[in-house]
Amino acid sequence: MTVLALVAGLVLLVAIISVGLARGGRGQAAPGAHPPMALPADLQVRVRALLGENKPVLAVKEVRQATGLGLVDAKRIVDALKSGPLPEPLPYAPGGQGSVADRARTMRDAGDLAGAVSLVQTETGMSAADAERFVSTLS
């Protein structure tokens, strides 16, 4: 019976850690933090148009698809757009200048590991595991 209780405890611990990671333990910004990246002007126009049509969910979806950001960070950007213009795009935005490796390294070094992995996946077609290994080996 004690072995069963130990196994159940370990399973519970793994589940708690997994939920914590899924809720923001993968390099997402802290609550109340500024958006992690800016948006190109044309994307800002599309997002503002969706907000003007009272479609905030589609605005967040548009940001996520264009940037590879997670839900929380994309929502922060959309919320920030409601209150005014965002700064110029950062060089590590998907489709931006520089190699994928350079942009992923910049994102990783800025504390956005999940975004860096997503960028590599989006632009190379790698699996999540391969993209994570690629990002972790960047020097």
Side-chain angles (χ1 to χ4, degrees), residues 26-59:
R26 294 178 293 184
Q28 292 192 1
H34 296 289
M37 65 188 296
L39 299 180
D42 62 320
L43 181 57
Q44 287 190 44
V45 169
R46 292 194 313 266
V47 170
R48 286 182 193 281
L50 289 168
L51 290 172
E53 297 171 13
N54 198 26
K55 297 180 179 176
V57 173
L58 291 177

Side-chain angles (χ1 to χ4, degrees), residues 82-110:
K82 289 179 187 177
S83 62
L86 295 177
E88 290 300 312
L90 296 175
Y92 59 80
Q97 296 179 357
S99 70
V100 173
D102 290 341
R103 289 180 281 136
R105 184 181 307 107
T106 302
M107 290 177 81
R108 181 201 62 200
D109 293 348

Side-chain angles (χ1 to χ4, degrees), residues 48-92:
R48 286 182 193 281
L50 289 168
L51 290 172
E53 297 171 13
N54 198 26
K55 297 180 179 176
V57 173
L58 291 177
V60 171
K61 183 177 178 181
E62 181 81 16
V63 170
R64 291 187 71 193
Q65 288 176 342
T67 64
L69 290 172
L71 178 63
V72 173
D73 290 332
K75 183 172 183 328
R76 281 196 187 109
I77 287 178
V78 169
D79 289 344
L81 271 172
K82 289 179 187 177
S83 62
L86 295 177
E88 290 300 312
L90 296 175
Y92 59 80

